[in-house]
Amino acid sequence: MVFALSFALFFAVLPDDTVSNTGSKIGLYVLAAVLGPITVLILRFIADRLRLDRRRFVVIASAGAVTFDGLFVGLWPDVYGHHGSNLANVAALILFGLAAILVADQATPVHSLPRRKESRA
């Protein structure tokens, strides 16, 4: 949910021109594609600290974030700071970001980060 809130705040500060101008939108899609693998690495790091399955954690965290975004786009769209077609563009970017995360999770080997060694007592 922290990721979803941070992305909601990110979109809230973007001017309307940024999400309506084709050139800016392409830049935001590229940014989402780049952030997908980075998000996967961060989520896997957190999963290791919590001693959870890496892939399952990424999927659950992504589902939670999209659930948050879906509820807020539908019930409290002012969180994103946009209305009408610009809000639809933000929602499309969020869905594309989710796809980038899920594709990166499947494309990145599960053991791309070394696991934290267990301390022996």
Side-chain angles (χ1 to χ4, degrees):
M1 295 295 181
V2 173
F3 282 117
L5 182 58
S6 62
F7 284 116
L9 295 174
F10 169 76
F11 284 118
V13 299
L14 289 177
D16 282 338
D17 292 353
T18 307
V19 294
S20 63
N21 182 336
T22 302
S24 301
K25 280 195 295 190
I26 290 171
L28 289 170
Y29 279 103
V30 169
L31 180 63
V34 168
L35 289 177
I38 294 169
T39 302
V40 167
L41 293 176
I42 292 168
L43 290 174
R44 286 182 181 183
F45 177 81
I46 294 170
D48 285 349
R49 297 305 167 264
L50 298 173
R51 301 182 196 285
L52 299 172
D53 179 81
R54 288 175 169 181
R55 285 237 161 101
R56 176 177 272 177
F57 186 76
V58 169
V59 169
I60 290 171
S62 299
V66 168
T67 300
F68 171 93
D69 288 324
L71 286 171
F72 276 77
V73 164
L75 299 174
W76 193 21
D78 291 338
V79 169
Y80 298 90
H82 301 282
H83 297 61
S85 63
N86 288 341
L87 183 60
N89 291 335
V90 168
L93 283 160
I94 290 168
L95 290 175
F96 181 82
L98 170 67
I101 291 168
L102 295 177
V103 167
D105 185 45
Q106 293 300 308
T108 307
V110 170
H111 303 294
S112 62
L113 286 175
R115 290 201 182 268
R116 192 167 117 183
K117 294 190 180 191
E118 300 290 327
S119 59
R120 296 181 189 212

